[in-house]
Amino acid sequence: MSVDLLFWLVPVSSLIALGFAFYFYKRMLREDEGTPTMREIAAYVRKGAMAYLKQQYKVVTIVFIILAVFFAILAYGFDVQNHWVPFAFLTGGFFSGLAGFIGMKTATYASGRTANAARRSLNSGLKLAFRSGAVMGLTVVGLGLLDISLWYIILDHFIGAEGPQKLIVVTTTMLTFGMGASTQALFARVGGGIYTKAADVGADLVGKVEAGIPEDDPRNPATIADNVGDNVGDVAGMGADLYESYCGSILATAALGASAFYSYSDSSVQLKAVFAPMLIAAVGIILSIIGIYLVKTKEGAGMKQLLRSLSLGTNVSSVLIAAATFGILYILGIPNWAWIACSVIVGLVAGIIIGQSTEYYTSHSYKPTKRLAESSSTGPATVIISGVGLGMISTAIPVITIVAAIILAYLCAIGFDVANMLTAQNLSLGLYGIGIAAVGMLSTLGITLATDAYGPIADNAGGNAQMSNLEPQVRERTDILDALGNTTAATGKGFAIGSAALTALALLASYLEEIKIGLQRIGETTIDVAGRTVEVASATIPDFMEYFKINLMNPSVLAGVFIGAMMSFLFCGLTMNAVGRAAQKMVAEVRRQFREIKGILTGQATPDYARCVAISTKGAQHEMLFPSLLAIIVPILIGLFFGVAGTVGLLVGSLGSGFVLAIFMANSGGAWDNAKKYVEEGNLGGKGSDAHKATVVGDTVGDPFKDTSGPSLNILIKLMSMVSIVTAGLNVVFSIL
């Protein structure tokens, strides 16, 4: 089979994914939404979510127009950038936003229906929530591969370069639409995270702790805003987040493949290396759909049984894609194909290990979270101390796993040629191996993201059941599904962070490739490397490392490393404080309504839900701009001041600190949440006890950890890489040092 013919499997698979997403969406809509009260509550949440998203897209559109104009000036005015960049940037942002919109629309229609399905059985609720989450998963992978396919077809037709250089230009240009996706994702994550946590903190601190009313009680003015927040943060935000991770890993690996096989006498080998990550992702879509159909459970199942039900679908898909990878690379006939396939397996295994590690540290089925819950006997202070300690310890396994994955993926790609592992050719091949490991980790994203998007649907279903005063049995079922969702959400965040680390490393190498093109664009045909003249077109990564003095003794590199490490903490500080300020306004509003609207707590008066929704919306829109724009501005400034060497340092520093900090925050937050759930199930005194109040405080601290700052970090890492790639031409033309 010809290589060109194999390529068409990519757009066909994307259309299959979108077809199944549409099918699951229509199946969900045919389900009964329940009683009139259930319908009314679902409509409140849906209206609030859409109102927020509409406002967010207005703000983001303005930012995108300004950035597109800036890139157009660089491309057409100063000619330091590819002329396709402004258009690619806009399409990346559009598809990323579209994926989030579709996922959130599905979730807001599915939550009430899930609550009604839980009235029949636990399995009915699980299947409906999970397949509704699968709409998000399949939409992300479908739109991602469709966007990649279309851009390859367009650029392959219009770019005039000849020979191996053409694929270099095509793949590096395609990378730029990843910046649009990353920018959209960061706004979605930060804005959605601020929104949902402001509402959640207000609802918990005033409702649960001060007023002593249950979670999702209709008497709580912030409860609708809280349910809206679950959708805008954990569905729309996560969808946009993983869309850009998925596309970024495929595009970075394709660019590395074009570079690694640049000098091969058989020109088709380079094309095969570019297509390989796309084809692995395409087959992964089909196998993810198979895994989705395997997720089901029995009535009366506990947390471990439900986790096994979800793990079955994910693990079967992973095993199948592992086997399929060998077949794909064999058919392509890439040199060293068997070992490169092993790099993909390394990525898959690393993803599973990180997921299992996250589950162990955040699920209340295991000792760490149970011990955290037990610390509540001495008050909220010990809960917070124990949660911070748990999060710090939990970073060890993911970090060691990623380190092992980087080394093994690299060595597999070069056939374990340890003696020559840093030669120019082996370096390019090894980096290709790391990139394709990231593709392997994300190859089953269709089902992995389904397990994540399932969480907020189950959470909202529980809220609907509580506010609709459904029978206690239904609430018990939705609580089980919700607790499962907390764990799957934490697992999804761990997975996203792990893939971000591998993808960011691949993007770092792609940055140097973009530097090569930047030099050629300004007419530089040769560079002086340690006294020898080297053709830019054939220069290797070690050549550029030497030419730009990228080493630890270069003060510009060191400055970049420190600023990059600082950026992770600065970004988290800004977003945490943003949540705090928005939450203060929400707490004040809930207290005001309890105080001024007589009869709320007795159920004789209806709270002003719309006011709380408006406070969260305004707070999120106002607070999300500065930290998000900082992630775009800082790489540009570092490039202007410290040049290529400083930019590389910046990316290394942000990757190292951001990866570890993100895991710590995600796992601490997930553990605090499930420790609260453990107490609410009747342990350690149950709801209303001192232990319960202490875990609610811990959960409140953990909310911005796990849903705002932590998950935004992996986008920060990749966005700064993407900005650096897009502005590489500017770095080549001008820098102060």
Side-chain angles (χ1 to χ4, degrees):
M1 188 180 295
S2 72
V3 182
D4 290 327
L5 191 60
L6 278 172
F7 167 77
W8 290 102
L9 180 61
V10 179
V12 169
S13 295
S14 72
L15 294 175
I16 290 172
L18 294 173
F20 269 93
F22 183 73
Y23 170 71
F24 288 141
Y25 177 74
K26 285 296 186 183
R27 284 285 301 270
M28 177 271 295
L29 287 181
R30 286 202 290 268
E31 292 283 336
D32 186 8
E33 202 166 13
T35 66
T37 304
M38 294 173 72
R39 293 171 184 268
E40 183 184 2
I41 290 164
Y44 271 130
V45 175
R46 197 154 46 242
K47 182 180 177 182
M50 290 304 171
Y52 169 79
L53 210 59
K54 183 180 178 180
Q55 186 61 33
Q56 177 174 283
Y57 286 167
K58 283 182 181 177
V59 175
V60 173
T61 299
I62 295 170
V63 174
F64 264 76
I65 291 171
I66 294 170
L67 288 173
V69 170
F70 172 67
F71 295 141
I73 292 170
L74 292 180
Y76 295 96
F78 297 101
D79 201 28
V80 296
Q81 202 170 69
N82 191 294
H83 291 187
W84 289 96
V85 166
F87 306 103
F89 169 74
L90 290 173
T91 64
F94 173 77
F95 276 103
S96 177
L98 182 60
F101 172 81
I102 293 171
M104 197 186 71
K105 186 174 181 180
T106 304
T108 55
Y109 276 103
S111 56
R113 290 171 169 84
T114 299
N116 195 54
R119 299 170 75 185
R120 297 195 301 272
S121 69
L122 182 65
N123 186 49
S124 297
L126 174 66
K127 286 175 68 175
L128 182 57
F130 184 75
R131 292 187 182 179
S132 298
V135 175
M136 166 62 87
L138 295 173
T139 298
V140 165
V141 296
L143 288 178
L145 276 190
L146 184 64
D147 200 5
I148 289 170
S149 305
L150 291 175
W151 269 110
Y152 177 79
I153 293 167
I154 292 168
L155 293 173
D156 183 57
H157 180 76
F158 284 103
I159 284 182
E162 298 294 332
Q165 185 64 21
K166 181 175 182 177
L167 276 178
I168 295 282
V169 177
V170 168
T171 53
T172 51
T173 303
M174 287 171 68
L175 263 174
T176 60
F177 93 71
M179 182 188 165
S182 295
T183 303
Q184 172 64 48
L186 191 61
F187 276 109
R189 257 303 187 194
V190 173
I194 294 169
Y195 182 109
T196 183
K197 295 306 108 181
D200 205 358
V201 169
D204 282 357
L205 285 184
V206 186
K208 284 186 181 180
V209 178
E210 295 180 9
I213 59 178
E215 187 173 9
D216 298 316
D217 193 295
R219 293 172 293 176
N220 194 327
T223 193
I224 294 294
D226 187 13
N227 280 273
V228 170
D230 290 334
N231 292 286
V232 299
D234 290 338
V235 179
M238 175 58 83
D241 176 358
L242 284 172
Y243 176 90
E244 63 93 23
S245 290
Y246 186 71
C247 292
S249 66
I250 296 170
L251 293 171
T253 306
L256 290 171
S259 174
F261 296 92
Y262 178 86
S263 58
Y264 270 69
S265 56
D266 183 359
S267 59
S268 69
V269 173
Q270 188 192 31
L271 187 62
K272 292 171 182 177
V274 169
F275 285 168
M278 302 180 194
L279 290 168
I280 292 168
V283 173
I285 286 176
I286 309 300
L287 300 178
S288 291
I289 293 169
I290 294 172
I292 288 167
Y293 278 98
L294 295 176
V295 176
K296 52 188 165 183
T297 192
K298 296 179 181 178
E299 193 61 37
M303 179 65 81
K304 284 189 176 180
Q305 289 82 7
L306 287 168
L307 283 169
R308 277 199 294 269
S309 297
L310 291 184
S311 298
L312 176 65
T314 306
N315 292 340
V316 167
S317 295
S318 298
V319 170
L320 291 174
I321 190 62
T325 296
F326 283 90
I328 293 167
L329 294 179
Y330 172 75
I331 293 169
L332 287 172
I334 294 176
N336 199 31
W337 66 268
W339 281 115
I340 291 174
C342 289
S343 294
V344 178
I345 307 303
V346 167
L348 272 167
V349 172
I352 292 170
I353 293 172
I354 290 173
Q356 292 298 311
S357 167
T358 304
E359 180 184 317
Y360 174 74
Y361 280 106
T362 60
S363 171
H364 59 57
S365 299
Y366 300 98
K367 286 182 181 179
T369 301
K370 286 183 178 178
R371 290 197 194 104
L372 175 60
E374 289 165 2
S375 70
S376 63
S377 61
T378 48
T382 47
V383 171
I384 293 168
I385 292 169
S386 299
V388 169
L390 182 152
M392 289 179 172
I393 292 169
S394 74
T395 63
I397 294 175
V399 169
I400 292 169
T401 300
I402 286 296
V403 168
I406 289 170
I407 299 297
L408 284 173
Y410 187 101
L411 291 175
C412 285
I414 65 172
F416 282 83
D417 184 13
V418 179
N420 301 299
M421 65 182 294
L422 293 180
T423 62
Q425 181 59 27
N426 276 349
L427 184 61
S428 294
L429 283 172
L431 290 171
Y432 181 71
I434 293 170
I436 211 163
V439 174
M441 188 180 285
L442 290 167
S443 59
T444 55
L445 185 63
I447 186 170
T448 306
L449 184 50
T451 64
D452 196 30
Y454 148 87
I457 294 172
D459 192 357
N460 270 210
N464 194 304
Q466 179 73 47
M467 287 184 278
S468 303
N469 294 312
L470 298 183
E471 47 270 29
Q473 186 184 30
V474 179
R475 182 67 198 197
E476 288 172 10
R477 289 168 180 165
T478 58
D479 278 348
I480 293 171
L481 296 175
D482 183 22
L484 175 66
N486 286 333
T487 300
T488 60
T491 302
K493 290 179 180 74
F495 191 82
I497 294 162
S499 66
L502 293 179
T503 302
L505 197 58
L507 289 171
L508 183 60
S510 296
Y511 169 70
L512 293 176
E513 286 299 324
E514 189 64 36
I515 291 293
K516 178 194 290 186
I517 293 173
L519 285 169
Q520 291 173 313
R521 189 175 291 115
I522 63 171
E524 295 284 345
T525 56
T526 62
I527 55 174
D528 182 62
V529 180
R532 48 191 185 92
T533 301
V534 178
E535 295 285 333
V536 171
S538 57
T540 62
I541 289 177
D543 290 334
F544 284 114
M545 297 284 283
E546 176 65 29
Y547 179 71
F548 288 107
K549 303 294 186 289
I550 303 173
N551 61 71
L552 288 177
M553 295 298 103
N554 185 342
S556 294
V557 174
L558 288 173
V561 168
F562 277 107
I563 293 171
M566 174 208 70
M567 276 293 295
S568 301
F569 288 87
L570 176 62
F571 183 82
C572 286
L574 291 170
T575 50
M576 291 280 288
N577 283 337
V579 170
R581 285 190 293 270
Q584 284 177 337
K585 294 175 183 175
M586 185 64 71
V587 168
E589 174 60 22
V590 175
R591 285 173 175 168
R592 184 195 68 80
Q593 290 199 32
F594 280 154
R595 186 175 61 252
E596 296 180 7
I597 304 176
K598 306 301 181 185
I600 286 183
L601 290 174
T602 59
Q604 297 173 317
T606 302
D608 186 356
Y609 300 125
R611 177 63 183 157
C612 292
V613 170
I615 287 173
S616 270
T617 301
K618 186 178 179 180
Q621 299 300 318
H622 176 73
E623 298 283 1
M624 74 177 183
L625 276 172
F626 181 66
S628 299
L629 290 174
L630 198 66
I632 298 170
I633 294 169
V634 168
I636 296 173
L637 291 178
I638 292 296
L640 291 174
F641 275 92
F642 300 112
V644 173
T647 302
V648 170
L650 174 79
L651 301 182
V652 170
S654 64
L655 174 58
S657 68
F659 175 58
V660 179
L661 187 59
I663 293 170
F664 155 65
M665 298 186 86
N667 287 353
S668 284
W672 274 317
D673 198 345
N674 275 335
K676 178 195 69 177
K677 289 285 190 299
Y678 181 72
V679 175
E680 289 176 345
E681 287 178 2
N683 301 293
L684 304 171
K687 292 182 180 179
S689 65
D690 288 341
H692 183 227
K693 290 177 180 178
T695 56
V696 169
V697 173
D699 179 38
T700 304
V701 175
D703 277 336
F705 269 52
K706 67 179 174 65
D707 290 327
T708 308
S709 301
S712 298
L713 280 170
N714 64 74
I715 309 172
L716 176 77
I717 294 166
K718 288 172 292 183
L719 178 57
M720 290 204 297
S721 299
M722 287 292 186
V723 173
S724 300
I725 289 171
V726 171
T727 58
L730 190 61
N731 295 167
V732 170
V733 173
F734 176 82
S735 68
I736 294 175
L737 296 178

